[in-house]
Amino acid sequence: MSTTQAPLRWYGDGYPSVDPAGIHQVLSQVEQPCFIVSTAQGIGAAAGGTAAPGGDGPGILAAAPALPPHRLGSVEFRVAHGVRQSYMAGAMAGGIASADLVIALAEQGFLASFGAAGLLPRTIEKALARFAAEIPGLPYAVNLIHSPSEERLEREAVELFLRHGVRCVEASAFLGLTPHLVRYRLAGLRRDPSGRIVADHKVIAKVSRAETAERFMRPAPATLVDTLLRDGLITHEQARLAHHLPLADDITVEADSGGHTDRRPLPALFPVILRLRDHIQHEHRYTTPIRVGAAGGLGTPTAVAAAFAMGAAYVVTGSVNQSCLESGTSSAARALLAQADVTDCVMAPAADMFEMGVELQVLRRGSMFAMRAQQLYRLYQAYDGLHALPDEERERLESQVFRRPLEDVWKECVEYFSRRDPDQLRRASDSPKRKMALVFRWYLGMASRWAVTGQADRKADYQIWCGPAMGSFNAWVSGSYLKTPENRTVADVAHHLMRGAAFHTRIAQLATAGVTIPASAADYRPVPMEPAALMEAAG
């Protein structure tokens, strides 16, 4: 008796597509299973249908299951944050990740983080009021950035978040844990009627180092918990619960990105953090394991698919969103971003951590900011104060960089910090070097503002945070409707990155089965979709 099983054959409506355009169309129908079959004309592709042994249908060479974008990543992430897809738009400081951007993505089922860093409390409060009025019940996050030189800003931001019932913060650039961040997390702890611990305040920590990730993966330090309890900022019950769960629900592994970055390659950094998560989970046995997401360099569907293939629970984009219409930057800055190549990025001193020598990644094309900022830091290192600057250096700064006398700049600093953080002025009153730092930071801070407002006479000084993902995105959309900045919307970009990631994941699945798809049929290209179709595609 023969035990040989009859080969599987495809049965469905129509006839398999055999030309590259038809094969591409079949592969693009990610909501349907895909069959690669053998026909008289060669390899063909069919969407939907069934496989059965025997008969006279085309023989099946390989198959890939349906993979709609909302199946990529972690279902736990989607449930925890109430979103349709495992995709997040990360914060860009100074309101560049604007309220409009957050609202547009929330309405389409995506999570986005408002760029609160660097904004005054009253500006943040206006955005929170908009969220309450325009997207009630929909998820969003607000950025909380580590401010070691302006501790008051971090404290006031947390107080604002607690007062307005913000349910999720994206913690970024933290060099260590602070009482303000820990307070936010613990102030949301409680037990539900069944006795289960509930964290009403979610924390998504953006990290680029294993030691920083570990701090967020472990429970809040006992010393900080005790201090918060002593100061009456958390309850005894919250202090007891603090030891049973990690400080963060989600860890975003930030690779080579715009803004604050260590420029680590994602394939090198991500597995290290994932393995660390597994080790700490084994040690603490958390009821809900920490989720690990990926960020940095994600500007194409192929890159997004690769992140999910590495095990990312979710993906985070940044630079590409800045070039979209809803971003809080100027049309002039968006135009420069849309021209960027992968190599058009450079590191420059960061305004918020200038004295510490911390750098961030910015756009080099069309701007002299990076060069001038680096010169300022070299002067800061070399001299003890403005009074010690050589005459020729002072003249160059006043004529080319600041375009005004340095003493006038200092007067503006006094006026600014008198409102924002008077402690900065007290610390500079008997420290000429500290005064010089504040003056130099004026340029770094204003360079960001000039880019956001599009101040034409300062275009050469624009500070535009940008990573190589921007150049990768531009190369991908070249020749499509998304090449033009005026056509880029954040929800559209999110949709195409995720749908394209599902497409390329399907290509990879077929490749492991030994099927090579023609190159002309294996590239996902963005085409316009109607808003209703976008919503349907979001899942």
Side-chain angles (χ1 to χ4, degrees), residues 139-158:
Y140 67 89
V142 181
N143 183 219
L144 178 66
I145 195 167
H146 186 31
S147 303
S149 61
E150 296 183 77
E151 177 270 343
R152 173 184 170 185
L153 291 181
E154 195 177 319
R155 170 172 51 81
E156 290 182 346
V158 167

Side-chain angles (χ1 to χ4, degrees), residues 319-327 334-340 469-471 473-478 480-493:
S319 298
V320 298
N321 301 319
Q322 190 174 191
S323 71
C324 294
L325 290 174
E326 298 92 343
S327 80
R334 289 197 292 268
L336 289 174
L337 286 163
Q339 299 168 19
M470 189 72 256
F473 177 86
N474 289 335
W476 169 53
V477 301
S478 178
S480 79
Y481 77 106
L482 289 180
K483 178 177 181 178
T484 305
E486 289 75 15
N487 292 336
R488 298 180 183 182
T489 64
V490 286
D492 210 12
V493 167

Side-chain angles (χ1 to χ4, degrees), residues 368 371-380 383 389-404 406 440 443 458:
M368 299 178 67
M371 180 187 70
R372 289 174 172 173
Q374 290 162 356
Q375 291 172 346
L376 290 177
Y377 187 69
R378 285 194 290 269
L379 292 174
Y380 172 76
Y383 299 100
L389 291 174
D391 290 342
E392 62 272 19
E393 286 288 1
R394 188 183 187 102
E395 181 180 350
R396 183 183 61 81
L397 292 179
E398 292 182 340
S399 62
Q400 298 180 20
V401 180
F402 293 90
R403 299 189 189 177
R404 66 186 66 187
L406 295 184
F440 287 178
Y443 172 76
R458 281 292 195 167

Side-chain angles (χ1 to χ4, degrees), residues 118-385:
L119 299 180
L120 292 173
R122 63 175 179 271
T123 305
I124 301 172
E125 200 158 14
K126 289 179 181 178
L128 298 181
R130 282 194 63 189
F131 300 153
E134 298 181 38
I135 50 172
L138 294 182
Y140 67 89
V142 181
N143 183 219
L144 178 66
I145 195 167
H146 186 31
S147 303
S149 61
E150 296 183 77
E151 177 270 343
R152 173 184 170 185
L153 291 181
E154 195 177 319
R155 170 172 51 81
E156 290 182 346
V158 167
E159 290 173 349
L160 191 62
F161 300 162
L162 294 175
R163 190 162 63 248
H164 283 266
V166 172
R167 292 302 185 95
C168 182
V169 301
E170 183 190 29
S172 60
F174 275 80
L175 303 176
L177 302 182
T178 67
H180 310 302
L181 173 64
V182 175
R183 176 193 175 191
Y184 173 82
R185 173 62 162 175
L186 302 190
L189 297 185
R190 60 181 174 87
R191 287 190 184 273
D192 67 11
S194 68
R196 183 177 63 93
I197 300 175
V198 177
D200 287 329
H201 296 161
K202 296 180 177 63
V203 173
I204 301 173
K206 190 186 297 181
V207 305
S208 57
R209 294 172 179 264
E211 61 269 25
T212 306
E214 183 169 358
R215 295 186 185 105
F216 282 99
M217 289 179 179
R218 295 191 178 278
T223 53
L224 285 179
V225 175
D226 293 343
T227 299
L228 292 169
L229 179 61
R230 185 192 65 222
D231 294 343
L233 297 175
I234 59 172
T235 66
H236 286 278
E237 175 70 359
Q238 288 165 344
R240 286 191 293 270
L241 298 179
H243 307 296
H244 297 286
L245 78 172
L247 191 61
D249 305 275
D250 303 276
I251 300 292
T252 301
V253 179
E254 184 181 29
D256 193 0
S257 64
H260 290 287
T261 178
D262 284 327
R263 305 185 86 177
R264 303 288 183 247
L266 189 62
L269 181 62
F270 188 86
V272 173
I273 306 299
L274 198 62
R275 191 174 298 112
L276 176 64
R277 187 279 309 271
D278 293 342
H279 170 75
I280 293 177
Q281 173 63 27
H282 179 75
E283 178 184 343
H284 285 277
R285 307 287 183 180
Y286 295 131
T287 303
T288 302
I290 300 164
R291 298 171 292 268
V292 181
L298 305 183
T300 64
T302 309
V304 173
F308 284 126
M310 283 194 297
Y314 59 98
V315 293
V316 181
T317 55
S319 298
V320 298
N321 301 319
Q322 190 174 191
S323 71
C324 294
L325 290 174
E326 298 92 343
S327 80
T329 197
S330 64
S331 58
R334 289 197 292 268
L336 289 174
L337 286 163
Q339 299 168 19
D341 200 349
V342 174
T343 57
D344 285 334
C345 301
V346 66
M347 299 299 288
D352 55 346
M353 302 182 193
F354 177 78
E355 298 93 321
M356 301 167 66
V358 174
E359 293 186 317
L360 39 68
Q361 191 160 207
V362 299
L363 184 67
R364 175 173 54 188
R365 178 188 287 259
S367 174
M368 299 178 67
F369 166 77
M371 180 187 70
R372 289 174 172 173
Q374 290 162 356
Q375 291 172 346
L376 290 177
Y377 187 69
R378 285 194 290 269
L379 292 174
Y380 172 76
Q381 289 180 301
Y383 299 100
D384 293 329

